[in-house]
Amino acid sequence: MGEKTLMKGAEVIAEAAMRAGCMAFFGYPITPQNEVPEYFSRQMPKLGRVFLQAGSEVAAINMVYGAACTGTRVITTSSSPGISLMQEGFSYIANSDVPCVVVNAMRGGPGLGDIAPAQADYFQAVKGGGHGDYHSIVIAPYTLQEEADLMFDAFDLADKYRIMVVVLVDGLMGQMMEPVEFKEWVDVKKFKTPDWATVGQRDRDHRNIITSLEILAEGLEKMNFHLQEKYKIIEKNEVRFEEYKMDDAEYAITAFGTIARIAKTVVNMARDEGIKLGLIRPITLWPFPTKLIEKRAEQLKFFFDSELNAGQMLEDVKLAVNGRKPVYFYGKLGGIVPSAEDIYAEFKKHIKGDR
Amino acid sequence: MEKKVIIAGFGGQGVMLAGELLAEAGKEDNKYVTFLPSYGPEMRGGTANCDVIISDEPIASPIISYPEAAVILNLPSLDKFEPAMKKDGLLVLNKSLIPREVKRNDLRVVEVDAQTIAKELGNEKIVNMILLGVYITIEKPVSLDSVKNAMKLFLKGNKEKFIPVNEKALEKGAEIAEEFLGRK
Amino acid sequence: MKTVYKKPEPITNRPTTYCPGCPHGIAHRLVAELLEEMNLTSETVIVWPVGCSVFGYYFIGTDAVEAAHGRACAMATGMKRTHPESFVITYQGDGDLASIGIAETVHAAVRGEKITVVYVNNGNYGMTGGQMAPTTLIGQKTTTSPYGRDPKLTGFPMHVPEMLATLEATAYIARASLDSPQHIIQAKKFLKKAFNAQVNGIGFSLVEMISSCPTNWKMTPVAAMERIRNEVLPVFPIGEFKVAEGVE
């Protein structure tokens, strides 16, 4: 740790990834995250690491897949439409048990949409996106400092569980600047090629085959059981969240990423007026803090979920609350970011009925 | 202390530079800082504005919906932000490019003929620094010295020669602000 | 006692799943013989495709990965760029490479990726039951061109080596045929040059191998080989299309 640097969120992603030992970047340009590949393209050659602009997002994710099969710390970054193109690769990566990190700076959709900040890819990131029964670990930082810290965790988790880790941010986090204190550089000389990597058999007593294919249904079921076992362990060990002013709360906002930051202002506005509002902020969107929300449902009068979409995390909040308390929702669509005042006014509409 | 300001104008007027400089100065002063840019779709010549927050406490939302202060470099920006200003908010205006009066009468307004002053100082590109000097002197989110220090990070190499004239611009802005405060 | 014929060391003991008379076995053998002769087996990773050779890793015993349909060259790029010391081969059919994977293939060639592509062209989609491919001949009947391929509707057969040879970063580009002993001997020579291009770090190398598909062509293996000579090779001529400096 040391000095603080004032940096753009997009550049924080690249700098933190390099410090965390990311040895290769493959990607394709798309707004609003072009500063990430641009930063990598300047810095990676200086470090003797790989930067390669692919011919498409489809190619990029398959380059990531290839590098991941060699046990290399590898990343790609993109934004919503590009992430849609990568879904095929995500599914293959999931059933191959290889680690990688993917950053999605979400923009307004569907389709070409716009380039404004959005959170409408929650379903895609958390519920699959590609085909088959799989999960990726999904992390949603809400400040640039947290983004800088979580990039390290993203690579560690990817390696620990041999899984894809998605860092889900939005265009606003990519463009804003904030002073950030980076963790020390990881010593990449200590990295060893894992025993399972496909780099040529050499001195190994066995050869390695990485495949997502198993033509016999019984065999494929076994592969799926293996994945589900892994997911259970992750659900048990890796749930992360932040609670803000929840101890005495009668109401809670649930929000992630940028909107959670705005929600903190909303909580403070409510507290100034004597309303006991708190914030529950999932940091891992998968695994989701289901048990926490389940527990908090006992003390709260209602939940108020706010997102930059039409209500996606809302479904997971509702599943956790399981009908015991009302869950209200306020979202903005198409890349519009609501003000704290907007959210507070919406929240208060429900409190009136409640009192 | 928490100070929030919007800086707005045409792309190319140095709006983002002024904002980043202010943010960097805040960082130098060990404050919490956020800088949030917003661009029009054009690469050049479109409207541009940024939200800068400098605070002693961790900053929640980096978005300023209702500004308590705004540094406005052109007419479209005044049209956009005047209605949203908080009561008693501070408007620092580049009067040279704003051919109308402020409509509201519940704001503190400093009108600066910044293009003319910039010309007199010998560089038309320092309008942003004159107005920033005005804002900083009135609202004191950071000290003028911190901004001058931060400037060294931005004006490096063959741009270093522009430091003196930019410092002069900040000081001229400070002078105008003192006058404004004295008049009050 | 003198050994006159043996199984190349990289070939596994597992029986192949290919149809009787399918030349994939020949192509596998050529790859395996060269890996052994050039002492490359232990540093090799083969990227297998989606297509009839999807289970190729069961038959050639090197480190291996199984790519998504068409993405082999991208995957190989990720492996070779991060591990330049590996010897990386992609083994792809004409549906995989020339249709769904053409963008990945062309851009790998544009960048001069130091990988070797074994491109087996049998003029149709074998695994899925003989549908039309970009390489299907004019007038050829397949399950999705039941009246014969009509160029007005679906254009003309795609000549991949001729296209790739125009790209500056390609090191070695050739077309061989697996229809006869001489052609197979020639195919091995071509493939050796392609392997050498990678070993010597010169650039992208590809050898197309004209193959038959007796099952879907509804021919005996012998008749299918004859068809290659009579109908396919006139459209897809054998030869070297690009031999960059330094390729032996």
Side-chain angles (χ1 to χ4, degrees):
Chain A
M1 303 295 262
E3 214 178 302
K4 285 195 171 180
T5 317
L6 183 68
M7 265 177 116
K8 235 182 200 196
E11 298 190 334
V12 168
I13 289 168
E15 176 70 21
M18 289 188 302
R19 284 170 177 260
C22 175
M23 300 303 286
F25 171 95
F26 301 97
Y28 186 79
I30 185 168
T31 306
Q33 60 83 56
N34 291 315
E35 292 86 348
V36 186
E38 285 168 0
Y39 194 90
F40 273 121
S41 73
R42 291 194 298 273
Q43 303 300 331
M44 293 293 260
K46 292 185 201 165
L47 297 167
R49 303 184 189 178
V50 177
F51 169 86
L52 187 62
Q53 182 170 322
S56 68
E57 285 90 351
V58 176
I61 192 60
N62 283 285
M63 290 174 185
V64 167
Y65 185 18
C69 289
T70 68
T72 304
R73 286 201 160 183
V74 59
I75 194 170
T76 187
T77 67
S78 187
S79 179
S80 309
I83 295 289
S84 290
L85 274 171
M86 293 183 184
Q87 295 301 324
E88 173 197 57
F90 294 172
S91 173
Y92 280 70
I93 286 166
N95 205 22
S96 299
D97 281 322
V98 291
C100 67
V101 175
V102 173
V103 178
N104 180 2
M106 292 180 283
R107 61 186 245 187
L112 203 46
D114 62 19
I115 57 171
Q119 297 181 321
D121 304 349
Y122 177 95
F123 282 154
Q124 193 190 49
V126 169
K127 308 288 179 186
H131 57 283
D133 251 327
Y134 78 93
H135 282 293
S136 310
I137 294 177
V138 183
I139 303 179
Y142 89 131
T143 63
L144 300 197
Q145 183 62 57
E146 190 177 56
E147 181 179 81
D149 295 339
L150 285 177
M151 286 310 292
F152 283 73
D153 298 352
F155 282 101
D156 288 344
L157 288 168
D159 281 348
K160 183 175 174 187
Y161 294 104
R162 291 170 60 183
I163 195 169
M164 184 172 104
V165 177
V166 178
V167 179
L168 205 57
V169 296
D170 58 61
L172 188 140
M173 285 190 68
Q175 296 303 312
M176 72 175 289
M177 291 174 93
E178 211 166 3
V180 167
E181 199 172 337
F182 287 104
K183 290 185 194 175
E184 288 300 330
W185 289 80
V186 167
D187 183 4
V188 298
K189 282 191 216 99
K190 287 185 185 153
F191 287 169
K192 285 194 188 110
T193 301
D195 190 47
W196 50 261
T198 49
V199 293
Q201 183 171 341
R202 296 173 199 273
D203 308 331
R204 226 187 296 123
D205 63 1
H206 59 280
R207 69 181 178 118
N208 288 329
I209 299 169
I210 296 178
T211 177
S212 61
L213 174 68
E214 173 50 68
I215 207 75
L216 299 172
E218 292 78 8
L220 186 59
E221 188 183 43
K222 229 185 245 176
M223 281 170 88
N224 270 278
F225 281 150
H226 158 76
L227 287 180
Q228 294 303 322
E229 280 305 310
K230 177 162 92 173
Y231 298 153
K232 262 184 220 154
I233 296 167
I234 294 170
E235 281 181 314
K236 188 166 159 256
N237 295 335
E238 305 299 345
V239 173
R240 297 187 197 188
F241 55 84
E242 185 204 353
E243 291 195 303
Y244 181 64
K245 301 195 176 169
M246 280 303 298
D247 283 352
D248 64 342
E250 294 177 355
Y251 314 95
I253 300 187
T254 50
F256 71 95
T258 284
I259 201 87
R261 198 165 177 165
I262 301 169
K264 264 196 176 171
T265 302
V266 177
V267 168
N268 293 336
M269 290 164 88
R271 291 279 170 171
D272 284 347
E273 294 189 354
I275 297 168
K276 289 182 176 168
L277 177 62
L279 168 70
I280 298 172
R281 178 174 74 88
I283 297 170
T284 51
L285 302 180
W286 192 88
F288 191 72
T290 305
K291 283 195 182 124
L292 169 83
I293 289 173
E294 206 178 333
K295 189 187 85 186
R296 286 297 184 196
E298 289 166 21
Q299 96 190 49
L300 296 170
K301 292 182 178 164
F302 66 73
F303 289 83
F304 183 80
D305 182 72
S306 191
E307 301 173 59
L308 299 179
N309 58 43
Q312 299 195 9
M313 185 175 82
L314 173 68
E315 293 191 0
D316 286 328
V317 174
K318 281 184 172 173
L319 280 170
V321 173
N322 203 10
R324 280 171 296 168
K325 295 289 163 65
V327 183
Y328 302 113
F329 176 72
Y330 177 62
K332 292 296 264 180
L333 308 179
I336 295 172
V337 181
S339 67
E341 288 81 0
D342 294 341
I343 298 173
Y344 188 43
E346 285 297 319
F347 164 74
K348 282 217 285 195
K349 280 183 193 167
H350 300 292
I351 222 173
K352 268 178 202 151
D354 173 69
R355 275 187 171 169
Chain B
M1 189 277 294
E2 183 166 86
K3 297 286 182 186
K4 303 180 179 184
V5 63
I6 287 180
I7 307 175
F10 292 123
Q13 282 185 302
V15 164
M16 295 302 170
L17 177 66
E20 284 186 39
L21 197 56
L22 181 58
E24 188 69 44
K27 192 210 84 184
E28 297 281 310
D29 284 358
N30 280 320
K31 307 281 189 201
Y32 290 94
V33 174
T34 58
F35 167 89
L36 179 66
S38 153
Y39 298 90
E42 310 88 348
M43 283 293 284
R44 299 278 182 272
T47 53
N49 61 270
C50 59
D51 298 3
V52 181
I53 303 178
I54 297 176
S55 175
D56 290 328
E57 303 289 325
I59 298 163
S61 172
I63 300 166
I64 303 171
S65 315
Y66 302 98
E68 61 192 26
V71 176
I72 303 288
L73 279 78
N74 67 357
L75 181 62
S77 300
L78 181 64
D79 292 342
K80 183 173 175 187
F81 291 108
E82 184 184 347
M85 293 294 292
K86 276 190 179 160
K87 194 171 171 296
D88 295 325
L90 174 70
L91 271 181
V92 179
L93 302 182
N94 176 21
K95 194 59 190 160
S96 324
L97 292 184
I98 300 176
R100 76 160 171 89
E101 297 300 312
V102 172
K103 290 172 189 160
R104 285 172 57 174
N105 54 16
D106 59 348
L107 301 174
R108 294 173 293 150
V109 181
V110 190
E111 297 183 332
V112 186
D113 189 3
Q115 304 296 136
T116 309
I117 296 169
K119 241 182 239 171
E120 283 166 13
L121 290 174
N123 187 329
E124 287 182 63
K125 286 184 177 169
I126 56 173
V127 167
N128 56 347
M129 289 299 131
I130 297 171
L131 299 173
L132 184 64
V134 174
Y135 165 71
I136 288 168
T137 308
I138 296 174
E139 291 292 308
K140 299 187 176 55
V142 293
S143 71
L144 216 54
D145 283 342
S146 306
V147 179
K148 285 182 186 170
N149 281 337
M151 203 181 277
K152 287 173 193 145
L153 288 174
F154 290 85
L155 301 175
K156 281 195 277 199
N158 57 2
K159 288 184 188 161
E160 206 178 320
K161 58 177 182 271
F162 297 116
I163 290 179
V165 72
N166 275 283
E167 287 187 346
K168 236 191 268 175
L170 282 170
E171 283 158 12
K172 185 68 194 172
E175 242 174 68
I176 295 164
E178 296 295 350
E179 251 173 66
F180 170 79
L181 292 169
R183 219 186 299 144
K184 280 186 84 178
Chain C
M1 199 163 59
K2 194 181 162 209
T3 306
V4 289
Y5 188 89
K6 71 174 182 65
K7 177 180 78 65
E9 181 263 329
I11 294 282
T12 65
N13 291 323
R14 189 158 169 156
T16 72
T17 42
Y18 301 116
C19 302
C22 171
H24 265 309
I26 303 171
H28 283 21
R29 186 180 167 96
L30 293 181
V31 170
E33 280 180 1
L34 283 171
L35 288 179
E36 186 175 15
E37 287 165 22
M38 295 172 75
N39 203 19
L40 290 167
T41 312
S42 91
E43 60 206 67
T44 295
V45 188
I46 303 181
V47 185
W48 293 97
V50 171
C52 291
S53 49
V54 69
F55 288 123
Y57 46 80
Y58 288 141
F59 315 129
I60 299 183
T62 64
D63 268 16
V65 296
E66 169 56 49
H69 196 24
R71 317 295 175 224
C73 282
M75 213 174 165
T77 298
M79 294 200 291
K80 186 72 179 184
R81 289 277 177 145
T82 54
H83 289 267
E85 72 283 3
S86 297
F87 186 74
V88 182
I89 301 170
T90 75
Y91 186 109
Q92 304 176 255
D94 47 316
D96 190 79
L97 182 142
S99 189
I100 193 168
I102 193 65
E104 285 75 12
T105 308
V106 168
H107 282 283
V110 165
R111 293 187 304 266
E113 294 298 340
K114 290 160 190 69
I115 60 173
T116 302
V117 178
V118 180
Y119 166 43
V120 180
N121 172 6
N122 62 11
N124 69 174
Y125 284 80
M127 183 178 72
T128 46
Q131 292 82 8
M132 192 188 75
T135 45
T136 297
L137 301 188
I138 298 303
Q140 184 179 336
K141 286 182 180 168
T142 71
T143 60
T144 52
S145 57
Y147 309 109
R149 182 175 185 176
D150 178 354
K152 285 199 212 91
L153 294 175
T154 51
F156 294 85
M158 188 165 175
H159 295 76
V160 172
E162 286 87 337
M163 281 169 57
L164 297 184
T166 65
L167 301 170
E168 283 171 271
T170 51
Y172 184 76
I173 306 287
R175 178 181 295 117
S177 173
L178 302 177
D179 67 286
S180 64
Q182 308 101 290
H183 282 158
I184 292 167
I185 290 166
Q186 185 189 38
K188 188 173 171 184
K189 280 183 188 155
F190 286 177
L191 193 58
K192 188 170 185 177
K193 288 187 191 177
F195 278 18
N196 265 322
Q198 180 178 173
V199 169
N200 297 328
I202 297 168
F204 181 90
S205 55
L206 174 143
V207 178
E208 175 173 343
M209 297 192 179
I210 298 295
S211 179
S212 64
C213 185
T215 300
N216 288 307
W217 291 3
K218 299 181 173 53
M219 288 175 161
T220 64
V222 172
M225 292 305 194
E226 276 165 9
R227 178 178 179 263
I228 290 182
R229 285 187 287 277
N230 297 334
E231 296 178 31
V232 183
L233 293 185
V235 179
F236 289 105
I238 290 170
E240 293 177 307
F241 297 91
K242 174 81 174 278
V243 186
E245 217 183 299
V247 174
E248 303 140 30

